[in-house]
Every structure is written in structure tokens, then in C-alpha cells.
Amino acid sequence: MLLIHQHVSLMKKTALLSWFLLSVLLLHAQLPEGTYREGNDSLHLKDQYAIFRISGFTGLSVAQVGEGKYEQLDEILIIHTTPYSGSKSSSQAVPASHKDSCVVEVVGSNNYPLPTILVESHSRSGKLLEGKVTDQQGKVIFTETEKIGSIVVTAMGYDDLTLQYEPEKDYRVKLVGHEVIENKDVVFRCRMTDEETLSLLMLSDDFDPGRNRDRALQKLLKKAQQSNRIDKRLKKVYVPYERKF
């Protein structure tokens, strides 16, 4: 009888210890809410909603921004991005300076002309008609306008813009200096190296889970390990969050 009692007591202690260790692990695994920042890079987490601006993971110093609900799977952070509420590229239509042509002027967020920006005209069915690069005044001119259905403005490091063409209209396009990610799943590897430092590595900016999400995530992790990509270290800041992008 004494042996049974000791066995039951041991089982209770083991179960209690297991529950305690599991609680500690789960607590450690969950990313603390707040704002993490280093330079111009930032990640804001609150109420299962994330807003991020991260640079350097797509080559050069290109910054990518996005927001949306997130879920955490151990060290994996998946952000289901939605339409972005921050600054995005925009366009303004004005009466055409010449009846049979279309002038597209491209400027930056400071309203200065942007040269060497690719501007393409597409048909109503989406077929590429013509591609041109802006001059030093940030302008291109399309003279064959009768087939144009849309105009696409693209450049590395900027938020691309597609606008619907209207006859006898010129366009002034303002590009913002970051890439906006919308309606895609973004995957990060996240680790707290201490109470205030977040180690962050972007694994995908357009994640397709396929039929087996776990397997797809493992492939992303393995690929990152093989390529020896460097994580970013963001520090937690204790000030009210303010969107600056």
C-alpha cells in the first residue's frame, strides 16, 4: 500500500514538473508584444497583428513593408499580409499635352524626378506593347496610344504601380522608396536572444504552403541554414509605436 502511495505521489510530481516545464517553454516561445527596431528596420507586434519594415533580405538595401494578422509556430512567424495602410505609390491623371500621345512623369516621394525608371505600356488583354526608361526629367512619351489598356511603372526598391490608361490623359506618378507586400504570406524565423533582442530572418516574402505547410516551412529553414544568411538583430523599444513609412 505504501509503495502504491509513493508511486502515485511520484506520478503527480512528475506530471506537475512536466506541466511547469511545458509552461516555461511555451512562455519562452511566444514573442513578447511590442516594437522592435534597429535603424530604419522595425517589427511591431500587438493583438496578433504585425506591421513591419525590413531591408536587406532581397538584395542591396531594398526595404519591404507590410502588415496583417500573424501566427507563430515555434520559431516561425507567419504574417498574412492584407492591403497596406501606409504610404504607397500613387498617380494623378491630367489633360494630355498632345492629343495623340501620353506623357508619364515619374517622381519620388520628395517630388524630384526619377530617371532610369522602367515604364511599360500594356494592351487591354495584358500584352506588353512597349517598354521605355525615364529620362533625366523623369519622363517617357508613348506615341502609339490607341492599343494601350494599362501602364506599369517598376523599379528596384520602389513600390510598383499599375494604372488604367485613359485616352487623352498624361500621368504623374509618385513612387515611394519601399516595396509594399500585400495579400501574401511572409515568413520569418524569429528568436529572442535575450529579453530585449529579437533575431529576425526573412525566409519568404511570398510563401506558398502547397499541400503540406509543415514540410514547406522546413524546406525554408533548411535553405536558410545552407545559405548561411545573416539574421537581423532588433531591440525592443519602450516608446509609443509610430508608423514612419
Side-chain angles (χ1 to χ4, degrees):
M1 192 70 177
L2 180 60
L3 289 175
I4 295 176
H5 177 75
Q6 290 177 339
H7 180 68
V8 171
S9 178
L10 180 61
M11 288 180 62
K12 287 182 178 180
K13 289 180 180 179
T14 302
L16 183 62
L17 179 61
S18 299
W19 176 85
F20 174 76
L21 290 175
L22 180 60
S23 300
V24 171
L25 288 172
L26 289 174
L27 181 62
H28 177 74
Q30 294 302 309
L31 292 174
E33 291 188 346
T35 300
Y36 300 85
R37 184 170 290 154
E38 180 61 38
N40 292 322
D41 293 329
S42 65
L43 173 65
H44 178 70
L45 304 172
K46 186 175 182 181
D47 299 330
Q48 294 301 118
Y49 197 83
I51 304 174
F52 65 89
R53 182 192 189 279
I54 300 295
S55 62
F57 287 128
T58 58
L60 302 179
S61 58
V62 175
Q64 295 174 289
V65 302
E67 62 181 280
K69 289 286 186 180
Y70 72 88
E71 59 178 310
Q72 186 184 349
L73 306 171
D74 195 15
E75 63 178 19
I76 294 292
L77 182 72
I78 305 176
I79 302 176
H80 307 287
T81 61
T82 54
Y84 186 60
S85 60
S87 58
K88 298 195 290 187
S89 295
S90 59
S91 66
Q92 178 184 6
V94 297
S97 53
H98 296 87
K99 185 177 181 180
D100 297 325
S101 66
C102 174
V103 178
V104 180
E105 179 187 11
V106 185
V107 299
S109 55
N110 55 8
N111 290 317
Y112 285 103
L114 291 178
T116 68
I117 302 295
L118 178 62
V119 183
E120 298 176 335
S121 61
H122 292 251
S123 68
R124 294 174 183 82
S125 63
K127 180 182 178 181
L128 174 63
L129 299 174
E130 194 173 5
K132 295 187 175 185
V133 173
T134 56
D135 59 19
Q136 291 301 310
Q137 285 72 48
K139 296 180 179 181
V140 300
I141 301 176
F142 294 107
T143 54
E144 299 180 8
T145 60
E146 63 279 356
K147 294 182 180 180
I148 297 178
S150 63
I151 294 174
V152 179
V153 184
T154 59
M156 167 113 20
Y158 292 91
D159 178 31
D160 298 343
L161 183 71
T162 299
L163 57 92
Q164 298 305 307
Y165 172 74
E166 296 180 32
E168 300 184 16
K169 294 288 185 182
D170 288 344
Y171 294 91
R172 191 171 193 266
V173 175
K174 180 179 287 189
L175 296 183
V176 296
H178 50 239
E179 294 181 357
V180 176
I181 304 176
E182 297 179 312
N183 305 314
K184 298 177 181 178
D185 286 349
V186 179
V187 180
F188 292 98
R189 185 182 69 192
C190 298
R191 298 168 176 168
M192 295 299 299
T193 60
D194 57 43
E195 292 182 354
E196 298 185 344
T197 306
L198 177 66
S199 176
L200 191 69
L201 178 65
M202 179 181 282
L203 302 179
S204 175
D205 59 8
D206 187 8
F207 177 57
D208 180 6
R211 295 182 179 181
N212 191 322
R213 187 174 73 164
D214 290 343
R215 183 179 298 174
L217 290 172
Q218 289 301 319
K219 286 184 178 179
L220 288 180
L221 285 171
K222 185 176 181 180
K223 184 177 179 180
Q225 292 170 353
Q226 291 175 342
S227 60
N228 294 319
R229 297 170 62 191
I230 301 176
D231 296 34
K232 284 183 172 290
R233 298 296 176 95
L234 279 62
K235 289 284 188 179
K236 194 169 187 178
V237 293
Y238 295 91
V239 295
Y241 175 73
E242 180 183 356
R243 185 198 295 272
K244 295 184 179 180
F245 43 88

